[in-house]
Amino acid sequence: MPQLRLALAQVNATVGDLAGNASLVLEWTRKAAEAGAHVAVFPEMVLTGYPVEDLALRASFAEASKKTLAALAVRLADAGCGEVVCYVSYLDRDEVGARDAAAALYRGEVAATQFKHHLPNYGVFDERRYFKPGESLDILRVHGLEVGMVICEDIWQDGGPIAALGQAGVDLVVAPNASPYERNKDDVRLPLVARRAREAGAPLVYVNLVGGQDELVFDGDSLVVGADGTLIARSPQFVEHLTVLDLDLPGGAARTSGAVGEFAVRRRVLSDEVLPAYPAGYPASVAEPLSDEAEVWSALVTCLRDYTHKNGFRSVVLGLSGGIDSAVVAALAVDALGPDAVYGVSMPSVYSSSHSRSDAEELATRTGLHFSVAPIADMVAAFVGPLGLTGLAEENVQARCRGVTLMGLSNQHGHLVLATGNKTELAVGYSTIYGDAVGGFAPIKDVPKTLVWELARWRNAEADKRGETPPIPENSIAKPPSAELRPGQLDTDSLPDYALLDKIVDDYVEGDRGYHDLIAAGYEPELVQQVLRMVDRAEFKRRQYPPGTKVTWKAFGRDRRLPITNKWREG
Amino acid sequence: MPQLRLALAQVNATVGDLAGNASLVLEWTRKAAEAGAHVAVFPEMVLTGYPVEDLALRASFAEASKKTLAALAVRLADAGCGEVVCYVSYLDRDEVGARDAAAALYRGEVAATQFKHHLPNYGVFDERRYFKPGESLDILRVHGLEVGMVICEDIWQDGGPIAALGQAGVDLVVAPNASPYERNKDDVRLPLVARRAREAGAPLVYVNLVGGQDELVFDGDSLVVGADGTLIARSPQFVEHLTVLDLDLPGGAARTSGAVGEFAVRRRVLSDEVLPAYPAGYPASVAEPLSDEAEVWSALVTCLRDYTHKNGFRSVVLGLSGGIDSAVVAALAVDALGPDAVYGVSMPSVYSSSHSRSDAEELATRTGLHFSVAPIADMVAAFVGPLGLTGLAEENVQARCRGVTLMGLSNQHGHLVLATGNKTELAVGYSTIYGDAVGGFAPIKDVPKTLVWELARWRNAEADKRGETPPIPENSIAKPPSAELRPGQLDTDSLPDYALLDKIVDDYVEGDRGYHDLIAAGYEPELVQQVLRMVDRAEFKRRQYPPGTKVTWKAFGRDRRLPITNKWREG
């Protein structure tokens, strides 16, 4: 049976770094060539990084992308990789507009170019803003086999290129992707890819990006699925990885050309001879998907690490309150960057409990991060007296003096400041703007409070399993949450129980359910009204909040775009 | 000749306020009915406000919009306005999706409904995210005349509904709009509307929204243009206004129905008899467009006023440095809200010049705003010593202590904080995040520094003309700009001359021109590289900046979406 050796290059590209990304492709194609691969597939927009946002509209950037692609084809050939059919995606631009494009590089040339057809314009995606859709399909004959390609969203929508490839006839489909992580998405991905393989009537090679880009993180989870939908190979999540495998391909697909529906089918022969039988050296490996907690934790660690390093920071600083949120963020930072790059500061005020400092210190001891104490009483007094501040105004000054302290340390020592707010707080506005909300990055901004606790317990249990010290002090997990901005204050003074609150927030924010729908679901009318009011009124705070990793189906930010000035009130 | 009395209701709707907006329509239709109008036209999405953003995706909101529309039809009839054909735009939703819709209300019923066809998805617009396009045209016979309609973008794009109406045959076209203000847009609008009227072969009634919504402000400037493109009537900018006019309409348009191109044409007869000749009581009036400076000033005043009031604030507070930016923002606030609603605070540090306080005091005297002084030396000392801050870290603490002071006063007294940064500063990152960047609204964030000066001179000259005290102290205009964060500091220490800087920023930010293009335009390579680096590196600050009025072709914010993590460097 005809066969091909495929390499799935699941790499971590950086937005805008054309030279760096080109070198990354060269390096990984070299590995693929050394392994004897005939075809190497890289993720969507690997040359530019993804998403490039309005860089797509800049002519100079698109030109540079095209030039880099052409030069890369030559570099690959010069490096002895010219015989590998190398699928490299990039930003193109022609007289019609910008294009999300995939090219096949072969023997020093761009052998084929295809444009993404389905352009997602929902959730975090604005691709109708940037790209014009492609309406041609480039099918290459590689060692006698017909290889078609589609790009990312093209496999998420019914009809279109996949069905057309099925009609035209192909022996194999490659699909470069940049599909951002969200919880449970990997459970959807495999059945979907399987369905598309069946529609195409050919095995499908799905290669996803890995790594963080601002609020998005890509989990990899690259797949190969047979023509019948069977899973053949799966790459591990959240790591760069080269999956090489030998695939038996029966071949013999129809070889029609011309037009199929709205698509112009273009065929080109790169190599016509079927390979003589060779011993399969790379049996397919199927990585086990991570557990839900492990997956979220890895997403948060990966995105925090990449945001820090890709933006040129070597270290981070954060306030340690002794509470669960800052403890989890610190543990994430230590996992992402190592303890030596993490600076935790306890900033007690006159209302701080003794355990707020001791629990923070305990966290530092357990994780090995740098710990210091900066009391804020004098700073607070310098504002409260002269300005005559009382009540909420006085409470907020405490949070803001902590913000000024962290920013001062950041400016002095070059640390990136991490904000420690969670999604529930962000939803109901339970944070002080320019206070605890300061930061360059907010690692858990899309993690609901109840999940913060789950992650803490899971991370500690993992440490136990590995015989390591659990990073998070038991007391930080167990004690009732408090902002400690006035004597004896508890979160439950002004907020419902978090288990219930998270459910309502989830239904309202992610589910976009209205008041009557929520009441019908069994929630108390008064409670629903209270929570919805809080969420609606906090929009102005969310607009000025730092970016942070998206892990849920709908994160605050570009995923949920609501006006600040908005008199609509549910109920 | 057949004739109709038309009313153009240029009103200020509020996003989400269905009940309030419905009452607004009722009130203005009553005025139109009292004036004897046969047809009243309201702006795009008048019932929901515009843009509603992700509210468009919420089923409960769309249902409420539809219900409010049906109830409004009945209310209009009950109020004796049932004979007026009243064009009211709203959010619709059917099995296909959400729709940007216009309805004609008549005798207590929804007589016709049409959906927007062209959905803008560029600049500040994301309409492909929200709406499905309409593909039918509803033409109503009103007193024997065929009246068609199109919505906003439908007149900005070639082809589509306008051309189809021309082919189908209409005697008049009404066009509800929500077209955000930007400089010189009114110069484009008239020729465009004239061209579309000629394409339709009928007079065109263009009714635009007025008022502010977050970063957008609508200038009105509603128009009536004859079938030959002649301007017949024009409403004044930036005010609510009812333009009533008697229009002679020859009638006799073809009355084809069925399909024209992709559009299904539906005709309905509301009243067949041509009106007996009546004396024209409302000759058309043509308002003079404002001068460039007056237009920008009005845009800034309108948007600031609406942001403040629509968000429930009665007063604003801002820092007065004695410099030009805070002086202009204070003058805008006084024009928008009156001097009694404006609180200015001078916050001298040890590096502040004596004129910083005296110029601020002079501004207060001229405008009548509330003035106070809050020295920050003790606050700054409480951070700098204990934290060991020096250099830039120490400079920033000064700006941040001012931020904490303003936020404290806001929390204590309920004022909205205004940030005073201009577009040039925001472009090059010449501001302190959580320092001078704090605020709920940033009135001049889209005004380049050179335009800030121009506006100051213009506003003072206007006052002179009117025999009033010019609000802005001459010294604030004349003195060299300085952040005064260290002894003898001037902006020109770290920035190029503003006249030159504004040109480069404009070419790079608004023009999206790349390095080589800028060099070819004659700028110094080193200077271009310096400015572009500054702009690129300040993206993280802009993300956390308060909203502010868009007045240029491309404002920072949703108009220009760039990644923070971005290694692309021009040059």
Side-chain angles (χ1 to χ4, degrees), chain B residues 367-390:
Chain B
T367 57
L369 59 78
H370 300 276
F371 182 70
S372 63
V373 181
I376 60 164
D378 292 349
M379 303 162 181
V380 172
F383 292 93
V384 170
L387 300 176
L389 305 181
T390 56

Side-chain angles (χ1 to χ4, degrees), chain B residues 304 308 316-319 329-330 333 337 342 406 416-420 436 438-443 546:
Chain B
L304 170 55
T308 306
V316 296
V317 65
L318 74 161
V329 172
L337 310 166
V342 182
L406 292 174
L416 173 70
V417 176
L418 301 183
T420 60
D436 51 301
V438 310
F441 199 70

Side-chain angles (χ1 to χ4, degrees), chain A residues 19 24 47 52 60 73-74 100-101 191-192 281 329 334 344 375 418 545 560:
Chain A
L24 190 71
L47 211 52
V52 298
S60 58
V74 175
D100 185 324
L192 179 81
V329 172
V334 168
L418 300 182
Y545 207 77
R560 183 179 189 265

Side-chain angles (χ1 to χ4, degrees), chain B residues 135-156:
Chain B
E135 267 150 26
S136 64
L137 296 172
D138 278 62
I139 301 173
L140 295 177
R141 190 170 308 161
V142 179
H143 295 299
L145 294 161
E146 302 292 304
V147 182
M149 56 174 144
V150 296
I151 306 175
C152 200
E153 188 77 3
D154 291 341
I155 65 164
W156 288 85

